[in-house]
């Protein structure tokens, strides 16, 4: 028996199990892979059509089923480009096309691996049809676990979980964090492909497996409603003000407008103080300024420090300032959240330094090599130094869990603040070099984190979108983009720990390990088939 004969035998066996005997034609599979990427894109903000995420998963699974590894990888790559190129378009607004293209292609490469893996497990899911949805979910979690960590610490943007901020699956984050939500989305997609991959010409007995799959899909989508969400412990409330000072103009040169940006935030706080004095506004217990609100180091520049002190003294409350601090070494800087108290100024005991600076934006790894690809890397003149301690700050009214900008996408960085005692999550960010789509994608991550840890949360941006998030994921007081705004709200503090906070990384490790087991099981089945005597 030749290899082609064995392939034909296997295809016939697959037909007997119910379903298509051969892979879809490439003329069908290639457009399907592209549509899969576009469907996934539509699930994310600013579109927010969350049901499209399982549809995209199902289309990619169908396109790669029964394919050779190379074809599966190619189809996965098509899906990745169709998803990440438009999803990350905001990266080219002010830095040119090269960073956007390179980042999009790198992220698409992980979906190429997923496509190859999906093709690889074909023998397993053909032999055990019930396992197809589960294996699909496991492979997606495994792919994201790898993408979230490599290279240079990973880039978790575009995780399936972050498309579900308004989905009934969001409460699952309270049990297993973002990995569990991703698994549920991909599991739903696997159920869709298992439902659709049938030979519908033979109707006898079709209703039983179809009914079973539909029931399973309903259970998955309805599972979130059974998960209790909300604030964990606590009950005390604090009044918090977000100051969104805006910048004179968007773009990379916002940094050349450092004094103007600082003045915007000081003046907005002074205006709030006047409203408080007039009885028109509640006095906040805490004021939060965004990342880069003081790119003039207030610890070394007396003028900048005086202006922040003026604002803190006027409002009569501590201000969490997003500051760029010089040092500790020559040519080094720190992206920090610094507490500034009325009457006494900077509290150096309450200082958080960003733990995950963005590679090629806040620091340049392998600079000499990167320069050969693009001289644009030298626009990053000083490398930001990574902090070593979680952002647990205690201004007095509440213990804060501070994370800066893209750090909200990383599970462990946010979790460390809650296990460190944070009662309230704070995300300081600067979206002046991006657009409203990026800001809304980031706010979706804040919503997931609030549910995941049972904490009230807020996002403070220089230009928007800023807003408050309740522990069940609802947004309150969201601001517009490229505008100045001050929003004051009462926020409930949390002291307990959600299940997801307690179990930490273990759900992701377990699901990723099962993904590896599925790949190994498929390898055994492939070897057995190859050993069939000819």
């Amino acid at each position: 028996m030749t290899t082609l004969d064995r392939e034909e035998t296997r295809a016939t066996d697959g037909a007997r199990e119910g379903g298509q005997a051969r892979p879809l034609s490439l003329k069908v599979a290639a457009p399907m892979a592209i549509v899969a990427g576009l469907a996934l894109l539509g699930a994310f903000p600013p579109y927010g059509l969350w049901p499209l995420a399982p549809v995209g998963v199902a289309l990619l699974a169908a396109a790669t089923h029964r394919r050779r590894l190379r074809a599966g990888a190619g189809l996965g790559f098509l899906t990745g480009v169709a998803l990440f190129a438009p999803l990350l378009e905001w990266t080219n607004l002010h830095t040119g096309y090269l960073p956007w293209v390179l980042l999009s292609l790198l992220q698409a490469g992980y979906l190429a691996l997923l496509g190859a893996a999906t093709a690889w497990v074909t023998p397993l899911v053909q032999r055990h049809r019930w396992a197809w949805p589960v294996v699909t979910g496991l492979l997606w979690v495994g792919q994201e676990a790898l993408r979230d960590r490599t290279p240079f610490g990973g880039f978790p943007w575009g995780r399936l979980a972050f498309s579900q901020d308004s989905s009934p699956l969001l409460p699952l984050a309270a049990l297993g964090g973002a990995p569990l939500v991703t698994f549920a989305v991909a599991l739903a997609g696997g159920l869709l492909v298992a439902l659709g991959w049938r030979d519908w010409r033979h109707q006898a007995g079709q209703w039983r497996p179809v009914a079973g799959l539909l029931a399973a899909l309903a259970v998955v989508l309805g599972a979130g409603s059974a998960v209790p969400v909300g604030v964990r412990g606590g009950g005390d409330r604090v009044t918090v003000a977000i100051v969104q000072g805006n910048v004179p103009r968007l773009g990379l040169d916002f940094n050349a407008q450092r004094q103007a940006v600082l003045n915007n935030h000081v003046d907005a706080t002074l205006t709030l103080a006047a409203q408080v004095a007039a009885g028109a506004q509640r006095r906040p217990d805490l004021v939060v300024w965004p990342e880069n609100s003081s790119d003039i180091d207030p610890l070394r520049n007396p003028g900048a420090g005086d202006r922040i002190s003026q604002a803190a003294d006027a409002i009569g409350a501590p201000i969490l300032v997003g500051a760029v601090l010089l040092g500790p070494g020559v040519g080094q800087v720190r992206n920090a959240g610094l507490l500034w108290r009325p009457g006494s100024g900077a509290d150096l005991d309450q200082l958080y330094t960003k733990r995950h600076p963005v590679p090629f934006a806040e620091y340049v790894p392998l600079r000499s090599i990167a320069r050969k690809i693009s001289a644009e890397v030298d626009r990053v003149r000083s490398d930001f130094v990574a902090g070593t301690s979680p952002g647990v700050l205690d201004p007095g009214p509440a213990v804060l869990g501070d994370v800066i900008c893209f750090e909200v996408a990383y599970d462990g960085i946010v979790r460390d603040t809650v296990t460190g005692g944070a009662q309230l999550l704070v995300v300081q960010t600067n979206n002046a070099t991006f657009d409203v789509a990026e800001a809304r994608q980031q706010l979706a991550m804040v919503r997931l984190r609030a549910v995941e840890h049972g904490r009230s949360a807020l996002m403070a941006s220089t230009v928007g979108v800023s807003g408050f998030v309740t522990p069940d994921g609802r947004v309150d007081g969201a601001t517009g983009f490229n505008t100045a705004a001050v929003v004051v709200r009462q926020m409930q503090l949390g002291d307990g720990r959600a299940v997801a906070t307690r179990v930490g990384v273990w759900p992701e490790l377990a699901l990723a390990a099962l993904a590896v087991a599925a790949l190994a099981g498929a390898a055994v089945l492939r070897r057995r088939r190859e050993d069939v005597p000819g």
Side-chain angles (χ1 to χ4, degrees):
M1 180 181 289
T2 66
T3 301
L4 290 177
D5 290 335
R6 285 198 293 269
E7 292 291 336
E8 186 63 31
T9 299
R10 290 197 289 270
T12 303
D13 290 343
R16 294 193 186 109
E17 295 174 28
Q20 304 227 12
R22 296 179 180 274
L24 296 174
S25 165
L26 274 177
K27 293 181 180 179
V28 174
M32 183 179 289
I34 295 173
V35 173
L38 296 176
L40 291 169
L41 173 69
F44 289 91
Y47 313 105
L49 303 175
W50 64 264
L52 290 179
V55 173
V57 170
L59 290 173
L60 177 59
T64 55
H65 188 53
R66 289 201 176 104
R67 303 225 90 91
R68 295 174 183 264
L69 297 187
R70 184 180 300 176
L75 292 168
F77 188 76
L78 285 178
T79 298
V81 171
L83 166 62
F84 287 111
L87 184 71
L88 303 177
E89 187 180 12
W90 42 265
T91 60
N92 77 18
L93 293 178
H94 307 288
T95 60
Y97 288 101
L98 185 60
W100 166 57
V101 170
L102 292 177
L103 181 60
S104 299
L105 293 180
L106 174 63
Q107 300 307 299
Y110 287 92
L111 287 196
L113 291 176
L114 176 64
T118 306
W120 176 261
V121 298
T122 293
L124 178 64
V125 300
Q126 283 188 178
R127 187 164 190 167
H128 306 288
R129 285 286 172 168
W130 59 267
W132 200 354
V134 176
V135 170
T136 300
L138 295 175
L139 293 181
W140 270 91
V141 173
Q143 173 265 141
E144 288 189 357
L146 182 64
R147 187 166 67 84
D148 297 350
R149 292 166 173 83
T150 59
F152 310 116
F155 187 68
W157 218 270
R159 297 168 73 179
L160 289 182
F162 295 152
S163 69
Q164 302 297 298
D165 59 313
S166 58
S167 160
L169 296 176
L170 181 64
L172 294 176
L175 297 180
L180 183 59
V181 178
T182 284
F183 176 74
V185 174
L187 177 65
L191 287 167
L192 288 177
V193 72
L195 182 64
W197 193 280
R198 312 186 62 78
D199 189 348
W200 293 97
R201 294 171 298 179
H202 306 290
Q203 298 297 324
Q206 288 278 7
W207 67 271
R208 292 185 181 88
V210 169
L213 290 169
L214 287 174
L217 183 61
V219 169
V220 171
L221 294 177
S225 61
V227 179
V229 295
V231 69
R232 302 286 169 170
D236 293 338
R237 291 180 176 272
V238 295
T239 302
V240 183
I242 296 174
V243 175
Q244 178 180 303
N246 208 10
V247 300
R249 58 187 179 276
L250 300 175
L252 285 177
D253 64 344
F254 82 90
N255 194 256
Q257 315 160 56
R258 296 179 299 170
Q259 188 63 58
V261 174
L262 174 58
N263 288 341
N264 284 354
H265 288 84
V266 170
D267 293 343
T269 306
L270 294 177
T271 299
L272 174 61
Q275 294 172 345
V276 170
Q281 184 60 269
R282 182 190 298 268
R283 182 180 299 279
D285 301 304
L286 172 70
V287 178
V288 179
W289 289 4
E291 178 191 26
N292 297 120
S293 50
S294 180
D295 276 1
I296 304 172
D297 185 346
L299 302 180
R300 303 198 183 200
N301 187 301
D306 289 345
R307 288 242 66 193
I308 299 173
S309 291
Q310 180 187 5
D313 294 345
I315 196 64
I319 301 176
L320 181 60
V321 180
V324 173
L325 307 179
L326 302 178
V330 177
Q332 295 179 326
V333 290
R334 290 166 289 164
N335 191 345
L338 173 62
L339 200 67
W340 208 276
R341 296 187 184 275
S344 57
D347 185 347
L348 297 183
D349 291 329
Q350 304 298 324
L351 169 68
Y352 169 61
T353 300
K354 188 176 183 180
R355 297 166 66 191
H356 198 301
V358 180
F360 302 103
E362 293 179 313
Y363 77 100
V364 179
L366 309 174
R367 185 182 288 267
S368 61
I369 298 175
R371 188 182 292 116
K372 295 179 181 179
I373 299 175
S374 173
E376 293 294 313
V377 298
D378 288 329
R379 298 183 70 169
V380 183
R381 298 178 181 178
S382 300
D383 287 335
F384 281 77
V385 179
T388 57
S389 300
V392 181
L393 305 177
D394 187 0
V399 180
L400 309 181
D402 187 25
V403 297
I404 297 177
C405 200
F406 287 6
E407 288 186 320
V408 69
Y410 296 88
D411 298 345
I413 290 178
V414 181
R415 185 189 309 118
D416 285 350
T417 70
V418 180
T419 57
Q423 300 171 301
L424 180 70
L425 297 179
V426 173
V427 179
Q428 295 177 287
T429 188
N430 171 31
N431 307 109
T433 57
F434 305 124
D435 63 11
V436 66
E438 183 271 346
R440 294 198 178 279
Q441 290 162 17
Q442 200 169 30
L443 185 60
M445 300 177 196
V446 180
R447 297 178 70 178
L448 183 139
R449 298 306 182 196
V451 173
E452 179 180 15
H453 298 293
R455 292 291 187 272
S456 299
L458 65 87
M459 186 167 96
S461 169
T462 47
V463 299
V465 175
S466 303
F468 295 88
V469 180
T470 61
D472 59 0
R474 291 178 291 113
V475 178
D476 183 28
T479 64
F481 188 77
N482 194 20
T483 184
V486 175
V487 189
V488 182
R489 292 290 188 276
Q490 282 195 320
M491 304 186 73
Q492 187 173 4
L493 304 181
D495 292 315
R497 294 187 182 182
V499 174
T501 311
R502 294 178 182 275
V503 298
V505 74
W506 288 107
E508 183 180 39
L509 287 177
L511 293 170
L514 289 173
V516 173
L519 294 172
V524 171
L525 292 178
R526 284 175 171 271
R527 177 163 295 183
R528 287 178 181 175
R529 287 184 172 185
E530 290 175 357
D531 290 340
V532 173

